[in-house]
Structures are given as C-alpha cells and as structure tokens.
Amino acid sequence: MKLIRNPNQIQDLSLKLKSKGKRIGLVPTMGYLHAGHLSLVRRAVKECDVAVVSIYVNPLQFGPREDFKRYPRNLKQDMLLAKTAGADYVFAPGDTDMYRGEFLTTVGVDKISSILCGTSRPGHFTGVTTVVTKLFNIVLPDISYFGQKDAQQAVIIKKMVRDLNVPVAIKVLPTVREPDGLAMSSRNAYLNRSQRQDALILYKALGRARCLIRQGERNPRKIISVIKRLIQRVDSARIDYIDIVDAADLSSKKKITGKVLVVLAVFIGKFRLIDNIALRV
Amino acid sequence: MKLIRNPNQIQDLSLKLKSKGKRIGLVPTMGYLHAGHLSLVRRAVKECDVAVVSIYVNPLQFGPREDFKRYPRNLKQDMLLAKTAGADYVFAPGDTDMYRGEFLTTVGVDKISSILCGTSRPGHFTGVTTVVTKLFNIVLPDISYFGQKDAQQAVIIKKMVRDLNVPVAIKVLPTVREPDGLAMSSRNAYLNRSQRQDALILYKALGRARCLIRQGERNPRKIISVIKRLIQRVDSARIDYIDIVDAADLSSKKKITGKVLVVLAVFIGKFRLIDNIALRV
C-alpha cells in the first residue's frame, strides 16, 4: 500500500489507471478509521481493481465553533488499518493541499442541506459536497462508498451525483455498531466513561422507535414524543433533533409509510452524536 | 458524424473511449454555430482523438426577462457546420434531458461571478458553471475549448476547474470577427441593418482603447471616459459597463500594467452585446 499526499500525483495516477480500463473504488474519510470505515474499504477492495482511502479532515465542513482542531487524527494507525483491509492507496493531502490561494468555488445542494443536521450546522453539507466533488475529480473513482450512519450526507451526495451527472456510482453500506449498539464514529473517542454509557441512549431510542412502528404505530409525532421522553431521562443528553423522514428525499413524514428513516442528533455533554435506522413499512 | 441526444448514452460512450485511452475534446456551445465556434471545433479535431460539440441552450443561465425563448436555434444547419469542421459527435440534449425532476444542485464561483456581466445578469454565471460541470461529467473531455469573446466566462471556468481539481484542460481561443471587426456572436442575428452598423461601435471603442494604451496612457479612467463618449455618440447604444481589468482575476485596474482586458457590454437597441481585447503592457 502506498501513501500519496499530492492531489496532482494521485490524479495523474488515476488518469493512467482509467485509460487502461481499471476500476477505481474510493472510500472518502476524515481518518481515525474504525470498523465502519473498514467495512467500506473491504467492499471497495472486493468490487474494484484499485481501492483508495482518502483521509482528510476537511476544514470547509466545520463551523467556526466546531471541533475541526480537536478532531482526532492518527495517520500512522490509519495506514496500518487501511493496509490490513486491503487498500492499495491512502490519499492524505496536507492541510493546505486542498484549498490553495483564494478558494471561490462551491458545490451546493439546496433544501436537503439546510434541514436536520444542516439546521445546527449551517454550511456543513456545502463543505461536504464541495470536498467530495474535489475528491471525485482527483481520484476519479468508478464507485465511492459511504456509511449509512451519515444518512443525510448519503442522500445529499446521491442527489448531487444525479443532478450533476457525476460518473460515480454511490454505494451506501450499513452502519457498523459496537457490541452494545453504539454506532461507530471517530467522535466516540471524545467520550469519557460515563458519557460513553449515556451515549447508548441514541441506539436505545431508535430501538424503541422500531418497536413502536413494528407494533403498528404510524403517527410520527407519537413515536417522536415517546423517544424524546426516553432520551430526556439521561441527564447528560440534550436533543438536537429527532425526526422520521422519507428515506429518498428526507422530507418529514406525516404518516409512516414506505421507506423511512428515524434520524436523531443528541448532545452527550458537549459532544454531538448522530444515528439513524431505516425501516420499510 | 453522429448526433446523440441522451446524456447517459454519450456518457457511456465517453467512459468506453476513456478506458481505451482516447483523448476527447469538447466544444460546449448554445448552437447557432458561427466561425468562432468552428475555430474551436477545428482545434479540438486537431488535438484530440474524438471531437464533441455540445449544443444546448441552457435555461439556467438566462434571467427571467432574458432571451431564452427567442435565442436562435438551427440544429440542422449546426450539424452540417460541425460535420464540415470535422466533429465526430454532436451532443444535443433535449430541453428536459439536462434538468430532470427537482433540480437542487449548483456549482458557483464567488466574487468574479457577480461583477461585470454578473451585475446585470445575476445568476448567469452560476448557470454557466453548473451546466459546464454537467457537460464535463457527461462528455468527460481531456480538453475543453472556449472563446475569448466570453472573457469573463473563461476566467470563471478556469477558476472553477482549478478550485475543484476538474481533470479537464481549458483552452481559450481568440475571438473571431466579421470582416468589419464585429465579434462573431449568435446574438448578432437579432440585429437589423442599422443596428448591425451601430454595433461596430464596440470594436471601434476597443480599438481606440488599444491606441491610447499603446500611446502610453496608463490611467484606466481616462481611457474609459474617452470610449464612453465615443459610444454615447451612437443613438441606439446604451452602455452597460466598460472596464479595464486584470486578465487573470478580473479585478479593476487602477493603473494599466501587466496583462489586462478592456471589457465592455453595450446595448444596441434592446440587444446586449459584449466584446473585449487583451493587452500586455
């Protein structure tokens, strides 16, 4: 496995690979890899001739008061993990390699970027779609892999790809969870022992929603109200949002039908965690 | 030469060509081809394995009161001209092939899109960068060709390509002019006989600016003032803007040095024409 830091270098390599008919798989990450990322890497290895993991903590997707500076980083460990999962290349540009000089261009997706996580993180998804466009242009993947944990991100990227005719297939793989149910996230590293315990409430709340829906409840407000009370019982928890939305366009459901997502974001102490489940009714 | 209307069809073809190492040249146009366009096509034919001319009157780059509906169209004649110039494919999507369903994604370049033509045509350049991104993703060119007549468009597209790492080389070719100096433009078809005569004032004004600069004048305001008076002598002419700007970033020059553009937009009757000259001082 090889580490490449320079965008032009990997773009040249990718152009060469593509001109020889090789299929490239890309797993875009912000590093501090966990089993969720690695499930994506293994899939890329399986389905493509060349598997690339990009590692870049993208400043553009963090708000001014967010955790850009303290976001966990460990390139050495990431390299080991990516290699073990079978990756051919790690593309890890330096902080200044991606936005040189006066950067003026943005790729934005209207409407679905300003709801849910977009409400408390304005500009976040425009940062994501802009950097993902850059990564696609640099690595030129045939397939790119994303995790279902970031459900809204996946829907937005799929919409961008469709709207702009981006020649990349988007595959979204299931959320990987800790044995106790907590969704894998690099940000879990922030949690102390009691917060780690409290963080389980996200999974428990989603489980309760699943139960209620399976038992026949079709009124989203009733379900949201139940899991809201459940979460509020945890002292360190503060709800950012809970919603039940259409899995395709993220619009709030008035009645639970078709393919839906139960989505939530909850602060545990000062750390904001997200999780979701998909259900077909 | 072959006509393709379906974006997916030409994208599949392009992917195949690229996987065989073929170099694709793209000339994006809104059709009603003239000698300016054809100079781009001939260059693409010369430099690439496969030359594609796209013809699409892009609704996204027209304001609500602009000339989208009456913009001249003649696909049959365009096909003949493109074939004569040596093009391999004309890609002419139908009106509804490019923006299907609820279209939410935009590619925008800040600052340089809201000056000069962007002042009187808000949203125009975002329409351009969005459709050009789509065309690049659909046709997958190695090189794309643009005319210097649309100088601001060329600067904006180059900036977008650099910012987003788009794997396309942008080549900007000289403005082609009628024997009397009028810059070739599909919109010249709007002009009646006397307006056609009056339209020459754009070229004359630029010629005067060139003279003054060659004679040593370095104060943009003095030059602008002279050519303003010159244009105002033509009854049917109404100035939209005149400026002398840096050729690389379009910033207004306070003193004429380096590579500059003299740029102007003038209404002749109700038809807005643009032109420019580049000078190195």
Side-chain angles (χ1 to χ4, degrees):
Chain A
M1 195 194 67
K2 203 180 157 187
L3 171 68
I4 298 182
R5 288 205 162 271
N6 184 307
N8 295 330
Q9 192 188 338
I10 192 160
Q11 192 181 46
D12 287 346
L13 174 75
S14 295
L15 284 167
K16 248 174 240 162
L17 289 167
K18 299 283 282 180
S19 74
K20 288 174 190 164
K22 299 286 184 195
R23 286 175 68 79
I24 301 173
L26 171 66
V27 181
T29 82
M30 299 209 299
Y32 217 73
L33 302 182
H34 53 64
H37 298 118
L38 299 176
S39 75
L40 307 180
V41 178
R42 280 190 296 268
R43 181 70 77 91
V45 170
K46 201 166 146 186
E47 295 180 343
C48 304
D49 299 310
V50 178
V52 179
V53 182
S54 69
I55 295 179
Y56 182 61
V57 185
N58 171 36
L60 218 61
Q61 71 190 68
F62 288 82
R65 290 169 171 190
E66 289 183 1
D67 56 344
F68 173 67
K69 279 196 179 161
R70 74 171 292 179
Y71 195 88
R73 292 158 168 93
N74 189 339
L75 183 59
K76 211 168 163 182
Q77 179 184 279
D78 287 345
M79 296 269 294
L80 269 170
L81 291 168
K83 188 178 176 179
T84 308
D88 300 288
Y89 296 93
V90 164
F91 169 51
D95 279 346
T96 58
D97 288 333
M98 290 291 271
Y99 305 106
R100 291 182 163 280
E102 192 184 29
F103 192 86
L104 298 179
T105 309
T106 49
V107 182
V109 179
D110 204 15
K111 290 189 181 178
I112 53 176
S113 293
S114 48
I115 57 174
L116 304 175
C117 287
T119 308
S120 55
R121 305 190 71 189
H124 167 67
F125 287 114
T126 299
V128 170
T129 41
T130 301
V131 82
V132 166
T133 298
K134 283 172 68 68
L135 291 168
F136 285 0
N137 284 331
I138 291 167
V139 178
L140 303 169
D142 296 85
I143 310 177
S144 187
Y145 300 84
F146 294 86
Q148 175 62 25
K149 203 209 89 190
D150 299 302
Q152 187 176 7
Q153 170 179 280
V155 170
I156 289 168
I157 288 170
K158 279 184 185 173
K159 179 63 177 154
M160 173 190 82
V161 161
R162 206 163 38 240
D163 279 357
L164 296 182
N165 309 86
V166 180
V168 178
I170 303 300
K171 296 208 177 176
V172 181
L173 269 59
T175 302
V176 175
R177 296 180 180 281
E178 302 284 356
D180 63 3
L182 181 68
M184 296 267 184
S185 164
S186 307
R187 286 190 170 96
N188 292 347
Y190 293 149
L191 306 172
N192 67 27
R193 204 155 160 176
S194 85
Q195 289 168 330
R196 172 66 183 78
Q197 199 54 36
D198 290 351
L200 273 183
I201 193 63
L202 282 84
Y203 182 63
K204 283 181 195 156
L206 293 172
R208 177 68 64 88
R210 188 199 309 269
C211 261
L212 291 168
I213 294 171
R214 284 201 177 144
Q215 285 163 11
E217 182 58 64
R218 293 293 175 264
N219 183 343
R221 279 194 299 175
K222 284 197 179 158
I223 296 166
I224 291 168
S225 153
V226 167
I227 64 181
K228 196 168 170 180
R229 267 175 287 147
L230 188 71
I231 295 171
Q232 282 167 341
R233 272 191 245 144
V234 176
D235 279 345
S236 71
R238 182 167 61 80
I239 295 166
D240 181 15
Y241 67 77
I242 306 172
D243 206 353
I244 300 180
V245 300
D246 185 279
D249 66 12
L250 303 176
S251 60
S252 281
K253 299 293 278 189
K254 282 179 181 155
K255 185 168 182 277
I256 296 174
T257 52
K259 203 175 172 196
V260 301
L261 298 172
V262 185
V263 291
L264 46 76
V266 177
F267 285 90
I268 300 295
K270 58 178 183 173
F271 307 113
R272 188 173 170 282
L273 302 177
I274 60 173
D275 202 351
N276 70 87
I277 51 168
L279 291 165
R280 190 184 297 273
V281 179
Chain B
M1 196 193 68
K2 203 180 157 187
L3 171 67
I4 298 181
R5 289 208 161 268
N6 185 307
N8 296 330
Q9 191 189 337
I10 192 160
Q11 192 181 47
D12 288 346
L13 173 75
S14 295
L15 285 166
K16 249 175 240 162
L17 288 167
K18 301 280 283 179
S19 75
K20 288 175 189 164
K22 299 286 184 196
R23 286 174 68 77
I24 300 172
L26 171 66
V27 181
T29 82
M30 299 209 300
Y32 217 72
L33 302 182
H34 53 62
H37 298 118
L38 299 176
S39 75
L40 308 180
V41 178
R42 279 190 296 267
R43 182 69 78 90
V45 171
K46 200 168 147 185
E47 295 181 343
C48 305
D49 299 312
V50 177
V52 179
V53 181
S54 69
I55 295 179
Y56 182 62
V57 184
N58 171 36
L60 219 60
Q61 70 192 69
F62 288 82
R65 289 170 173 192
E66 289 183 359
D67 55 343
F68 173 67
K69 279 197 179 161
R70 73 170 291 179
Y71 195 87
R73 293 159 168 90
N74 189 340
L75 183 58
K76 211 168 164 184
Q77 178 184 280
D78 288 346
M79 295 272 292
L80 268 171
L81 292 169
K83 188 177 176 181
T84 307
D88 299 290
Y89 296 93
V90 164
F91 169 52
D95 279 347
T96 58
D97 287 333
M98 291 290 271
Y99 305 106
R100 291 183 162 281
E102 192 183 28
F103 193 86
L104 299 178
T105 309
T106 49
V107 182
V109 179
D110 205 14
K111 290 190 181 177
I112 53 176
S113 293
S114 48
I115 58 174
L116 304 175
C117 287
T119 308
S120 54
R121 306 189 69 188
H124 167 66
F125 287 114
T126 299
V128 170
T129 42
T130 301
V131 82
V132 166
T133 297
K134 283 171 68 68
L135 290 169
F136 285 180
N137 284 331
I138 291 166
V139 178
L140 303 169
D142 297 83
I143 311 178
S144 188
Y145 299 85
F146 294 87
Q148 175 62 25
K149 203 210 87 189
D150 299 303
Q152 187 176 8
Q153 171 178 280
V155 170
I156 289 168
I157 288 170
K158 279 184 184 172
K159 180 63 177 152
M160 173 190 84
V161 161
R162 205 163 39 241
D163 279 356
L164 296 182
N165 310 86
V166 180
V168 178
I170 303 300
K171 296 208 177 177
V172 181
L173 271 59
T175 303
V176 176
R177 298 181 179 280
E178 301 285 356
D180 63 4
L182 181 68
M184 295 266 184
S185 164
S186 307
R187 286 190 169 98
N188 292 347
Y190 293 148
L191 305 172
N192 67 28
R193 205 158 162 174
S194 84
Q195 289 169 331
R196 172 66 184 76
Q197 199 55 35
D198 290 350
L200 273 182
I201 193 62
L202 282 84
Y203 182 63
K204 285 181 194 155
L206 293 172
R208 179 67 65 87
R210 187 200 308 269
C211 262
L212 291 168
I213 294 170
R214 284 201 178 144
Q215 284 164 11
E217 182 57 63
R218 293 293 175 265
N219 183 343
R221 278 196 298 174
K222 283 198 181 157
I223 296 166
I224 291 169
S225 154
V226 168
I227 64 181
K228 196 168 169 180
R229 266 175 288 146
L230 189 70
I231 295 171
Q232 282 168 340
R233 271 192 246 144
V234 176
D235 278 347
S236 70
R238 183 166 58 82
I239 295 165
D240 181 15
Y241 66 78
I242 305 171
D243 206 352
I244 300 180
V245 301
D246 186 280
D249 67 11
L250 301 177
S251 60
S252 281
K253 299 294 278 189
K254 281 178 183 158
K255 185 169 181 278
I256 296 173
T257 53
K259 202 174 172 197
V260 301
L261 298 172
V262 185
V263 292
L264 46 76
V266 177
F267 285 91
I268 301 294
K270 56 179 185 172
F271 307 114
R272 188 175 170 281
L273 303 177
I274 59 172
D275 201 351
N276 69 88
I277 51 168
L279 291 165
R280 190 183 297 273
V281 178

